[in-house]
Amino acid sequence: MHVLEWLYVIAAVVFLFGASVFVHEYGHMWMARRCGLKVEGFSIGFGPRLFGWTHAGVQYAWRLIPAGGFVSLPQMASSQPAEGAEPLPPASPGARILVAVSGPVMNGIFAFGIAVLIYFVGLPVRVNPPIIGAVEPGSPEAKLGIRAGDRIVAVNGQPVNSWDEVQMTAALAPTNVLPVTILREGTRTTYHLPATVNPSLGLKLLDLEPTEHPVVEQVVAGSPASVAGLKTSDEVLTFAGAPIVGLDQLVGLIKKRPGAASPIEVKRGKERLTLTVTPKPGPSGSGVIGVRFTVSGTAVYELQKPGPLPWTLVAQVCQQTFDTVGALVHSGRTGVQVSDLSGPPGILAMLAVEIKADYRLALKFMVLLNISLGLLNLLPLPVLDGGHVAMAVAELVRGRPLSRRFEEAATVAFATLLICFMVYVSYNDIARRLPLFKALFKEQVQIEPGAPAGNPPPPGR
């Protein structure tokens, strides 16, 4: 990638992520001023100040750690100020509630505004139709009547248009048996299919195979692939028990399993073979097997213009956020763990990937980012906006403020837990998902004109 492209991606990431934090914190500051509260500081990021200025008594700053921001509002504490602090009349519980919810509300308004923009500029949609490939004779799916060429149109009641959506919907579903709607020759039939947690991905998957797979173009002599018996023109069907729906997924799985003997199922001519390959650690420590695939790495998108209706897109993103939380709550059945969440490094990396691919994909990611930021901040934890709401409600119920000692202890405790959580998920971003981010960042994108929004996808068979 050229230097100018790198600079463009970095500048766009800083601008877009900073904009999300800015609108959140500006919502707090705007409402605080309307409620007559004193504003002492406005910061983007945490930690040491990189640069800043003072205007109208407010210290504005951009700080080192890009993990959020804050507005300094001394009257937001429900208890009396500490000894020696400037005497200020405490904010009423109602004012504190309004100030606290204004940040998440601004994120919601910002997300809706971006969704309106997407409607007019259009939205690229990945061309990866969920058409079923070979169905193993005697399998539960074959016994139900599912055939090669059938197209999946819905999983767990949610419409799907790509294999990525099929996998994501199945992974987040709270049950292990999912209703899957199949389209064949204009007729829709719903089957209840089992989904099991794949130990390599850590996610629940349907046992359905796509029509297209990566194909081996070259095998390096003496490599793990050569030792395992992989040959040119082998079509990779599964790896480590996971159905392969694309090159990026396969590369990500291989990179995650250095030193781990892994079954790899291939199609060689008309024969299906299961081999065992053990990826060796590459220069970065991630797994490699010494294979070059014929898949070009070009992701094809069709431009949907106009884009989805703004309220439809926002509703879909909200549903995705709730499904993710539900999948975490039911992690024993879904396989989704806290380690699967992303911290600031993962969020910034994915934003960079989308920006490099197409600015409209980055805008869609911004809708998800702002909706998630707003909803998560409403959790009733003392260090979050929802915590201020909870403490204000507690004061209304008790008829008197909470003790300063309790407020400080609760805030310090939850702030420590939040910092530990952020460090944990950020470590996973760097240690586990960095190879996948690199692979996605190298992926070439092709945007093609598509049918107008609302047109149904072409049937499979």
Side-chain angles (χ1 to χ4, degrees):
M1 194 168 68
H2 297 296
V3 173
L4 290 179
E5 191 174 5
W6 272 108
L7 293 176
Y8 159 70
V9 170
I10 293 172
V13 167
V14 172
F15 174 76
L16 292 177
F17 186 78
S20 298
V21 177
F22 173 81
V23 298
H24 181 94
E25 302 305 334
Y26 181 78
H28 293 315
M29 185 172 72
W30 182 86
M31 183 56 70
R33 285 175 167 171
R34 295 303 176 275
C35 293
L37 305 185
K38 180 179 180 180
V39 180
E40 293 184 341
F42 183 101
S43 293
I44 303 296
F46 299 104
R49 189 174 76 163
L50 297 177
F51 60 89
W53 63 93
T54 300
H55 176 72
V58 180
Q59 296 181 1
Y60 296 89
W62 192 290
R63 300 180 182 271
L64 178 63
I65 305 173
F70 63 91
V71 178
S72 180
L73 301 170
Q75 293 163 279
M76 282 294 286
S78 62
S79 55
Q80 296 299 318
E83 186 176 349
E86 179 184 356
L88 292 170
S92 67
R96 296 204 304 277
I97 291 173
L98 288 174
V99 171
V101 301
S102 293
V105 168
M106 280 296 292
N107 280 122
I109 294 173
F110 188 42
F112 188 83
I114 296 173
V116 171
L117 177 60
I118 290 174
Y119 175 78
F120 289 104
V121 301
L123 180 65
V125 178
R126 184 73 174 264
V127 180
N128 185 15
I131 299 174
I132 298 172
V135 179
E136 190 70 24
S139 66
E141 291 76 17
K143 292 178 180 178
L144 287 173
I146 296 176
R147 304 175 190 172
D150 289 349
R151 182 178 184 129
I152 305 171
V153 294
V155 176
N156 201 33
Q158 298 187 31
V160 293
N161 292 307
S162 69
W163 276 107
D164 294 334
E165 292 181 0
V166 170
Q167 286 198 334
M168 180 61 68
T169 306
L172 297 180
T175 61
N176 293 327
V177 178
L178 309 177
V180 178
T181 302
I182 301 293
L183 177 65
R184 182 193 304 154
E185 298 177 351
T187 301
R188 296 179 180 234
T189 306
T190 298
Y191 304 91
H192 288 79
L193 304 181
T196 55
V197 176
N198 177 267
S200 300
L201 286 174
L203 300 174
K204 187 167 77 282
L205 301 175
L206 293 166
D207 189 17
L208 294 173
E209 181 182 313
T211 53
E212 298 181 0
H213 305 89
V215 177
V216 176
E217 181 180 31
Q218 181 181 1
V219 179
V220 178
S223 66
S226 177
V227 173
L230 282 169
K231 296 182 179 181
T232 302
S233 299
D234 282 351
E235 187 177 351
V236 181
L237 306 178
T238 69
F239 181 82
I244 299 303
V245 299
L247 178 59
D248 295 332
Q249 178 207 18
L250 175 59
V251 171
L253 284 172
I254 293 172
K255 287 179 176 292
K256 287 171 59 177
R257 297 178 64 80
S262 307
I264 180 169
E265 185 182 5
V266 301
K267 183 179 180 182
R268 183 176 298 166
K270 296 183 178 181
E271 187 179 9
R272 296 169 70 108
L273 303 173
T274 299
L275 309 173
T276 301
V277 63
T278 304
K280 67 178 182 180
S284 63
S286 55
V288 295
I289 63 172
V291 166
R292 186 169 68 188
F293 296 98
T294 57
V295 178
S296 64
T298 298
V300 179
Y301 288 80
E302 285 187 353
L303 179 60
Q304 174 186 324
K305 191 172 183 179
L309 293 170
W311 45 87
T312 301
L313 179 57
V314 170
Q316 290 174 347
V317 169
C318 289
Q319 186 63 52
Q320 182 179 345
T321 303
F322 290 134
D323 288 346
T324 302
V325 174
L328 281 171
V329 173
H330 300 93
S331 60
R333 286 182 286 175
T334 64
V336 177
Q337 305 289 335
V338 173
S339 58
D340 294 313
L341 301 178
S342 285
I347 293 171
L348 296 177
M350 281 306 304
L351 183 55
V353 168
E354 302 289 26
I355 289 169
K356 180 181 177 294
D358 187 88
Y359 77 95
R360 290 160 292 202
L361 295 175
L363 290 177
K364 183 183 179 183
F365 185 82
M366 286 288 291
V367 176
L368 173 63
L369 176 61
N370 279 272
I371 292 295
S372 300
L373 182 63
L375 292 176
L376 292 177
N377 263 282
L378 289 175
L379 293 175
L381 305 178
V383 73
L384 301 177
D385 297 330
H388 288 289
V389 174
M391 290 183 180
V393 171
E395 180 178 341
L396 288 172
V397 172
R398 297 173 74 244
R400 63 183 186 278
L402 300 172
S403 71
R404 186 172 189 86
R405 179 176 297 180
F406 172 80
E407 271 196 27
E408 290 178 346
T411 300
V412 169
F414 280 97
T416 302
L417 289 175
L418 181 62
I419 291 172
C420 291
F421 171 76
M422 296 297 288
V423 170
Y424 174 66
V425 295
S426 297
Y427 170 80
N428 284 323
D429 287 334
I430 297 171
R432 295 176 51 192
R433 286 187 280 271
L434 184 59
L436 179 58
F437 292 140
K438 288 181 177 178
L440 291 172
F441 202 74
K442 293 178 181 178
E443 183 179 62
Q444 299 300 312
V445 172
Q446 178 179 336
I447 308 293
E448 298 180 347
N455 287 3
R461 180 184 169 196

